[in-house]
Amino acid sequence: MTELRCRKTDSLEGENDEELELESTHAREPVHAGDDGSAAVGGGGDDEQQEDEGEVKEEDARQKREESNAPGSSVKRSKCSSASGLLQRLARLFFGCLAAVACGVLYATYMSLYHGRKFWFSIRQDLEREITFQGGSGLYYYYYKHMLTAPSFERGFYELTLDNTTVSGQTINAVERFSLYPELIISFIYRVTDIQPIYFYVGAVFGLQSIYVIALFVCSWVMSGTWVAGMLAVSWYVINRTDTTKVDYAIPLRDNWALPYFSCQVATLTGFLSNNISSATEMCCYCTLTATTFIFLLVWEHSHYVLFVQGLCLFLLDSFDLVPPRKIADLHKAYLGALFLAYLFQFQNPSLVSSPLLSLLIGSVLARYFQVELEHGSAVSRYVLYYNCRLIITVFHSQKLIPVSDSDFILKFLEVKFGLNTTTDFITNFLLCQESFQTPGQDLFIRLTQTSVLPFYLLVLTVCLLSTLQTIYRRLSGQPRKTDLRLEDGRIGEQPEVIYHVFHTLLFGGLALLFDGMKYLWTPYVCMFTAFGVCSPDLWMTVFKWLKLKSIHPVVLSMILSTAVPTIIGFSLWREYCPRVLAELSDVQEFYDPDTVELISWIKSQAPLAAVFAGSPQLLGTVKLCSGSAVTSLPLYSDINLLRRTEDTYQVYSMRSPEDIYKILTSQKANYVIIEEPICNELSLNKGCRIKDLLDIANGHVVYDKGEIYSFSKHGRFCHELKLNYSPYTNYFTRVFWNRSYHVYKVNAVISFQY
């Protein structure tokens, strides 16, 4: 009996061909007659036919299984799966980018509405709008106005590089001294628009804040793998606005222009350090990082200190071999290139040459050379040698390049800040009394706890830090880096971008515990880092690995928690804080300073155009902005020479003779001096930080008697005595204007002795 077979043809043939082949096989088999005379196919009866049919079915099933395992079929399935995976990734990327842009636009719109509502910006005159730039920040807007009124951009730029109308008796390069590149760029762009100048300026700052928010969103998204983390980071950032930004009350400050670029730089650095990126993406991140580092150095005079702290984070990564040496070398090139370009664009600014960042980079190159030379030693000895060489070279370079006066001043400031020394120096004590340099109060941590970001931050930081310490221990033990990490490994501390942010938040957090102004650098990244942690399956998987969870599959549970926890947090934040945020837009606030408006109006109408005014730096910044008159000092606390002029100007609140004050003011070529009642009659609980107390300490007018502190001098307090209008004060000064807050006195060019 011939065996019945059903042979399946190639995948291009159909089922009809198979049926035809089956029929032809039946036709070729002989027909046998049975005992009952019936005909049977294939020489068997019904039983044989059933057996043959069963064999056919088994053969069919076997061949179908073989076909499913064939190479062509697997290629088709892989192509389908790769296509569907690509579509899913593109969909996630599209919706993530859409969410990031939406968050940035909504935040900028919200801040614009809030600012307009707070200061009644749209219904005020230009003078009143300019006065709303508080904290001396209006000085930068003055230079923006100057560029707009210049005959041409080139002429305005030249006048700013040789500015002799701002500080009396000095010709300064305002572009270098005040980092005015934002104003130069925005004034150049404004020339092709028809928007009101002040609205264009404010809108540009709020636009940068939207970029700030988008960068935080992207950074959290890249680290966690889900854009839900970005939305949670932005939510925490907005809710904690009082501790994350100063843009709502001091718009032109350098911080508000520079920090968005730093945020972009951190986001691109995060992507650059990641292991699972393509070479094209890595190159894009590297180019963006270099550009943002250069811009950051260009627009803020303190940027190189911030980058020095960031460089320390990279130093720790490099020291423990946590990232490939190639990436660290590329980052050093990016820093050096940005520093060199910034040095050229800032007219060979010596502060960049003597910056600790450059010292750290030089130390890195030399220390790496010594490490390579001694690579045969143990891992611990190599790391210790590398660290010591780098530290010694950095300190040596800083001591050699920083000017002696500036170096002594910085060291004196740090000694007094950390309680290692005391001083009667006015400038040191004055800076320590500034809110930015004081230790933050408990209210900061209470606010962060109430918004739930601080408890979750401590949880995420603890897990990531412990995992990072495990990774460092593995490196010191000689284990190589592991780049092909899986979720099942539970090693979040092996990811270079996570390790960087652990060091980043620890160093900036330590500085924020010392200086309150550092919270504007630390708190935004607390929001970003916390959002990444609660949304990251790797973090939950790391915890489950430590706990050795076996009852439930840890991978499944980590995926569930990384979705459920941020959902619960986001819903609670939306329910509690969304009504509060929206209510801020409906609150009627009033910011109006009629005394300052009256003072500026008098200066613009009565004072000569060439007049020079003396007063507090914050007030003089407003005077310069609104009237354009020259002043004796400016609110810039990074320039030691301007700080010394500020000390001299503040002597009008000390207990010195009118002759001494007259000599000081005439040496600064002042024509008018403005006495401020809030400073002269300041009543504060923190008496040691009042201007008149600092002056008394510096001038030696403080007497300690039986635990009590008194101020004593043979002369009365100048600001009080001057208002009494008696000789010899009237011989030197003549009052020309006064209101509740200000008294303006003319410095007599010819002394008239009256008795």
Side-chain angles (χ1 to χ4, degrees):
M1 181 181 66
T2 304
E3 183 181 1
L4 180 66
R5 296 182 180 179
C6 178
R7 180 168 49 85
K8 200 168 186 67
T9 59
D10 194 17
S11 58
L12 295 177
E13 298 180 358
E15 296 179 355
N16 295 330
D17 297 334
E18 182 182 351
E19 293 175 357
L20 290 174
E21 186 179 352
L22 180 60
E23 291 174 359
S24 64
T25 306
H26 280 284
R28 288 194 300 270
E29 292 180 350
V31 179
H32 299 275
D35 295 337
D36 54 357
S38 60
V41 179
D46 293 337
D47 294 337
E48 291 182 359
Q49 185 176 0
Q50 290 176 359
E51 289 179 4
D52 292 338
E53 290 177 355
E55 291 178 2
V56 170
K57 291 180 180 179
E58 291 178 1
E59 187 72 14
D60 263 343
R62 183 181 64 81
Q63 290 181 356
K64 287 180 180 180
R65 287 196 301 269
E66 290 177 356
E67 182 186 6
S68 65
N69 295 326
S73 176
S74 62
V75 170
K76 288 175 65 178
R77 285 201 312 273
S78 63
K79 288 182 178 179
C80 293
S81 61
S82 62
S84 61
L86 178 61
L87 288 176
Q88 290 178 1
R89 287 195 296 271
L90 289 177
R92 287 198 299 266
L93 180 63
F94 172 76
F95 286 108
C97 293
L98 185 63
V101 174
C103 287
V105 172
L106 288 175
Y107 176 72
T109 304
Y110 166 75
M111 288 304 302
S112 179
L113 293 174
Y114 175 76
H115 178 264
R117 190 69 171 172
K118 179 178 181 180
F119 296 106
W120 293 83
F121 212 66
S122 60
I123 63 175
R124 296 193 183 280
Q125 301 296 323
D126 287 343
L127 175 61
E128 297 171 351
R129 290 172 182 161
E130 293 173 356
I131 290 177
T132 61
F133 296 149
Q134 302 175 45
S137 62
L139 175 69
Y140 302 103
Y141 184 74
Y142 161 76
Y143 290 109
Y144 167 70
K145 289 199 309 179
H146 174 80
M147 289 298 299
L148 296 184
T149 56
S152 65
F153 179 84
E154 293 78 8
R155 180 63 183 177
F157 179 78
Y158 174 77
E159 291 175 353
L160 291 185
T161 57
L162 297 174
D163 181 18
N164 57 5
T165 63
T166 298
V167 181
S168 61
Q170 291 187 1
T171 299
I172 62 174
N173 186 340
V175 179
E176 174 196 351
R177 186 76 66 90
F178 305 114
S179 302
L180 295 180
Y181 276 101
E183 283 68 29
L184 293 176
I185 296 172
I186 201 68
S187 64
F188 180 79
I189 298 174
Y190 174 79
R191 292 176 181 271
V192 298
T193 66
D194 56 354
I195 307 173
Q196 291 188 28
I198 195 167
Y199 281 107
F200 187 77
Y201 188 91
V202 172
V205 177
F206 286 146
L208 279 178
Q209 301 310 303
S210 69
I211 296 177
Y212 195 169
V213 167
I214 292 174
L216 292 176
F217 185 108
V218 171
C219 192
S220 184
W221 179 12
V222 169
M223 295 177 64
S224 64
T226 172
W227 49 266
V228 176
M231 298 189 68
L232 186 58
V234 173
S235 300
W236 267 323
Y237 179 86
V238 175
I239 292 171
N240 296 280
R241 190 185 67 252
T242 56
D243 300 311
T244 56
T245 181
K246 295 183 284 188
V247 73
D248 57 340
Y249 68 91
I251 288 177
L253 283 181
R254 299 299 86 183
D255 315 24
N256 300 327
W257 286 97
L259 292 183
Y261 295 106
F262 180 65
S263 182
C264 294
Q265 192 252 16
V266 171
T268 53
L269 178 60
T270 303
F272 180 78
L273 292 175
S274 180
N275 288 325
N276 54 349
I277 61 171
S278 63
S279 58
T281 306
E282 181 179 316
M283 179 58 64
C284 180
C285 289
Y286 182 75
C287 294
T288 308
L289 182 144
T290 306
T292 51
T293 303
F294 164 66
I295 298 174
F296 183 56
L297 286 168
L298 203 61
V299 300
W300 195 22
E301 66 270 15
H302 301 304
S303 57
H304 57 87
Y305 294 111
V306 178
L307 292 178
F308 170 71
V309 178
Q310 187 185 72
L312 288 178
C313 299
L314 299 175
F315 158 65
L316 294 175
L317 286 170
D318 190 24
S319 299
F320 297 109
D321 194 25
L322 301 174
V323 293
R326 172 188 62 84
K327 289 191 175 183
I328 294 297
D330 290 341
L331 290 175
H332 288 165
K333 295 175 184 176
Y335 279 130
L336 288 172
L339 270 173
F340 176 72
L341 290 177
Y343 176 74
L344 294 180
F345 275 79
Q346 290 187 352
F347 307 91
Q348 294 80 47
N349 189 349
S351 64
L352 293 179
V353 178
S354 60
S355 65
L357 175 62
L358 182 59
S359 305
L360 185 65
L361 295 175
I362 294 176
S364 301
V365 174
L366 296 178
R368 180 176 293 279
Y369 170 77
F370 290 120
Q371 186 187 31
V372 172
E373 290 294 323
L374 298 176
E375 62 182 356
H376 300 293
S378 64
V380 176
S381 63
R382 289 202 310 269
Y383 292 138
V384 171
L385 175 65
Y386 179 58
Y387 175 79
N388 288 335
C389 288
R390 196 166 181 173
L391 182 63
I392 292 172
I393 294 171
T394 299
V395 173
F396 177 78
H397 179 264
S398 299
Q399 289 292 329
K400 289 295 182 181
L401 292 182
I402 296 179
V404 177
S405 59
D406 294 350
S407 177
D408 292 343
F409 169 72
I410 294 174
L411 290 176
K412 182 186 297 185
F413 173 82
L414 293 176
E415 287 177 356
V416 178
K417 173 63 181 179
F418 296 135
L420 303 177
N421 199 355
T422 59
T423 182
T424 60
D425 181 62
F426 173 84
I427 297 176
T428 303
N429 292 328
F430 174 72
L431 292 178
L432 289 173
C433 287
Q434 298 300 307
E435 184 178 358
S436 298
F437 292 111
Q438 291 184 349
T439 304
Q442 294 182 354
D443 54 341
L444 168 64
F445 306 102
I446 292 175
R447 289 192 299 268
L448 295 179
T449 303
Q450 289 174 345
T451 58
S452 75
V453 66
L454 187 59
F456 283 105
Y457 166 73
L458 295 176
L459 172 64
V460 173
L461 179 61
T462 301
V463 175
C464 293
L465 180 59
L466 291 177
S467 183
T468 300
L469 293 177
Q470 287 182 338
T471 302
I472 293 175
Y473 177 76
R474 295 188 191 100
R475 296 295 175 276
L476 295 177
S477 301
Q479 296 185 17
R481 289 188 303 272
K482 187 175 181 181
T483 57
D484 54 342
L485 293 172
R486 300 174 301 169
L487 178 60
E488 294 82 1
D489 297 333
R491 293 186 179 183
I492 195 172
E494 288 275 359
Q495 302 177 18
E497 67 273 19
V498 174
I499 304 174
Y500 161 73
H501 280 283
V502 169
F503 294 149
H504 180 108
T505 189
L506 284 176
L507 290 179
F508 281 96
L511 292 174
L513 293 177
L514 297 174
F515 305 103
D516 186 67
M518 289 298 298
K519 69 181 180 182
Y520 298 109
L521 278 166
W522 176 64
T523 312
Y525 294 97
V526 168
C527 301
M528 183 278 300
F529 187 75
T530 308
F532 138 73
V534 297
C535 296
S536 175
D538 295 287
L539 182 134
W540 298 104
M541 190 65 199
T542 302
V543 175
F544 296 149
K545 274 287 188 179
W546 292 342
L547 298 178
K548 297 181 179 180
L549 186 65
K550 296 181 179 179
S551 59
I552 303 177
H553 200 289
V555 175
V556 176
L557 188 57
S558 64
M559 297 296 291
I560 294 174
L561 288 178
S562 64
T563 304
V565 172
T567 302
I568 296 172
I569 294 174
F571 178 75
S572 61
L573 292 178
W574 175 81
R575 183 176 181 181
E576 182 175 357
Y577 289 98
C578 184
R580 300 186 187 181
V581 172
L582 295 178
E584 291 179 346
L585 299 179
S586 59
D587 289 343
V588 178
Q589 302 187 43
E590 180 67 21
F591 177 85
Y592 186 58
D593 190 356
D595 293 341
T596 304
V597 172
E598 187 180 4
L599 170 65
I600 299 300
S601 299
W602 179 86
I603 293 175
K604 295 178 68 175
S605 60
Q606 302 296 327
L609 294 177
V612 177
F613 286 85
S616 67
Q618 290 77 12
L619 179 61
L620 293 182
T622 303
V623 170
K624 183 63 182 176
L625 164 63
C626 300
S627 67
S629 300
V631 295
T632 59
S633 183
L634 291 171
L636 185 68
Y637 300 144
S638 59
D639 191 315
I640 188 65
N641 294 321
L642 285 177
L643 283 171
R644 291 193 178 101
R645 291 176 69 94
T646 297
E647 178 182 6
D648 292 338
T649 304
Y650 268 136
Q651 294 296 329
V652 296
Y653 303 105
S654 65
M655 294 190 296
R656 297 181 64 172
S657 66
E659 292 83 3
D660 292 342
I661 304 300
Y662 182 81
K663 291 179 181 178
I664 292 173
L665 295 177
T666 52
S667 66
Q668 295 183 348
K669 304 184 183 304
N671 304 115
Y672 296 91
V673 56
I674 306 174
I675 305 295
E676 301 176 49
E677 286 294 319
I679 299 179
C680 185
N681 299 313
E682 183 178 2
L683 297 175
S684 175
L685 297 177
N686 190 8
K687 293 185 177 181
C689 278
R690 296 184 302 183
I691 295 298
K692 51 188 178 183
D693 295 335
L694 297 177
L695 290 168
D696 292 343
I697 293 174
N699 295 333
H701 296 157
V702 175
V703 178
Y704 298 90
D705 183 21
K706 299 180 181 179
E708 297 292 334
I709 301 177
Y710 303 97
S711 295
F712 175 78
S713 174
K714 62 180 181 180
H715 302 285
R717 196 164 300 280
F718 180 83
C719 61
H720 289 157
E721 302 294 329
L722 185 60
K723 289 183 290 186
L724 298 178
N725 286 329
Y726 66 84
S727 182
Y729 294 90
T730 54
N731 300 339
Y732 300 99
F733 306 97
T734 304
R735 188 167 66 178
V736 293
F737 171 83
W738 70 94
N739 58 24
R740 292 177 302 175
S741 301
Y742 305 103
H743 293 253
V744 180
Y745 290 85
K746 182 179 180 181
V747 181
N748 296 330
V750 178
I751 302 176
S752 58
F753 292 94
Q754 302 176 7
Y755 299 95

